[in-house]
Amino acid sequence: DQQVKQNSPSLSVQEGRISILNCDYTNSMFDYFLWYKKYPAEGPTFLISISSIKDKNEDGRFTVFLNKSAKHLSLHIVPSQPGDSAVYFCAASVVWGNTPLVFGKGTRLSVIA
Amino acid sequence: NAGVMQNPRHLVRRRGQEARLRCSPMKGHSHVYWYRQLPEEGLKFMVYLQKENIIDESGMPKERFSAEFPKEGPSILRIQQVVRGDSAAYFCASSPYKGDSGANVLTFGAGSRLTVL
């Protein structure tokens, strides 16, 4: 029972263009959403988050959009850089703080120079 | 300013042996989470612990797996009588107390890669 779904296993984007990574969820109780980035042989690192009271959160080149009615969120990276090539995980939680996160399977982003 | 420290980074065991994975949380963090990543899969939650307490073990297999976070020392994930299907990357994460900022963000270690021959 996959509560957080990332339906695109991989994505290739040219350097300088926009990367859009998508995530859908089924549990309507989720109120907090996070994106993590993972390089090979390393642990995931936190990128950006959003709570359900917002529909957009921006941090530099990274923007997360949340559509609660559609149970959908997306991560936009503009402009994409070769160093952004990694696996991106979407994660969600019902409550804020001290709770396990539910992760999607990840999307492998390749930014081509 | 060490982050979450996991060891060993790589562990090879034969079927039937025991595997012990250790995790020291970030300084000031009192909550530890263990996740498992099977090949080509996402991160699956296993167990969530505070010092001396298991808070949520809903993702832990019922047999052969156990976890602890003693008052002193690192958190330990123990797998008894390992089988080939246990081969995976095991990640530990930590978070500060709920009242502290950033409590919703889990900080991950680099992982321990278990290979069962």
Side-chain angles (χ1 to χ4, degrees):
Chain A
D1 178 28
Q2 194 80 16
Q3 296 187 70
V4 177
K5 299 178 184 179
Q6 293 178 258
N7 291 321
S8 299
S10 62
L11 175 68
S12 284
V13 171
Q14 272 205 308
E15 182 180 5
R17 307 295 290 264
I18 184 171
S19 295
I20 300 176
L21 297 104
N22 293 304
C23 177
D24 298 293
Y25 60 96
T26 57
N27 187 344
S28 57
M29 300 293 289
F30 285 144
D31 266 345
Y32 303 94
F33 305 89
L34 302 87
W35 285 93
Y36 279 78
K37 178 167 78 171
K38 185 182 180 304
Y39 293 118
E42 294 184 13
T45 55
F46 170 71
L47 206 52
I48 192 169
S49 64
I50 190 168
S51 75
S52 62
I53 61 171
K54 293 186 169 184
D55 54 18
K56 177 182 173 181
N57 189 25
E58 197 170 349
D59 183 1
R61 296 187 297 115
F62 302 91
T63 303
V64 56
F65 295 92
L66 175 63
N67 182 335
K68 258 210 115 173
S69 60
K71 296 195 185 70
H72 176 84
L73 62 154
S74 59
L75 174 68
H76 293 211
I77 307 173
V78 183
S80 302
Q81 299 173 355
D84 296 328
S85 297
V87 177
Y88 289 79
F89 290 99
C90 173
S93 67
V94 172
V95 297
W96 187 93
N98 299 147
T99 186
L101 300 176
V102 179
F103 283 84
K105 288 191 175 184
T107 297
R108 184 178 302 278
L109 173 66
S110 300
V111 179
I112 304 157
Chain B
N1 188 22
V4 177
M5 303 301 292
Q6 290 190 247
N7 66 83
R9 290 292 312 274
H10 301 274
L11 183 64
V12 179
R13 285 287 178 265
R14 296 191 181 280
R15 280 178 297 169
Q17 291 184 318
E18 179 179 288
R20 282 192 183 215
L21 310 176
R22 289 175 291 278
C23 169
S24 296
M26 270 189 75
K27 189 175 179 181
H29 286 192
S30 52
H31 302 259
V32 164
Y33 311 78
W34 285 94
Y35 283 81
R36 176 166 67 174
Q37 185 180 26
L38 295 167
E40 306 304 319
E41 292 288 320
L43 295 155
K44 296 285 189 187
F45 166 72
M46 300 181 75
V47 62
Y48 162 35
L49 311 101
Q50 291 179 40
K51 284 284 187 183
E52 300 184 280
N53 286 307
I54 295 175
I55 307 302
D56 182 350
E57 56 181 349
S58 57
M60 196 87 118
K62 297 288 180 233
E63 296 178 353
R64 303 187 297 107
F65 285 73
S66 63
E68 62 175 7
F69 189 14
K71 189 176 178 182
E72 302 291 337
S75 175
I76 308 277
L77 179 68
R78 183 181 176 206
I79 311 171
Q80 294 178 289
Q81 299 172 334
V82 296
V83 301
R84 289 220 173 100
D86 297 333
S87 295
Y90 291 83
F91 290 96
C92 171
S94 69
S95 67
Y97 173 64
K98 193 169 191 169
D100 298 339
S101 72
N104 203 43
V105 175
L106 304 189
T107 301
F108 281 85
S112 292
R113 276 146 189 86
L114 172 66
T115 301
V116 180
L117 301 178

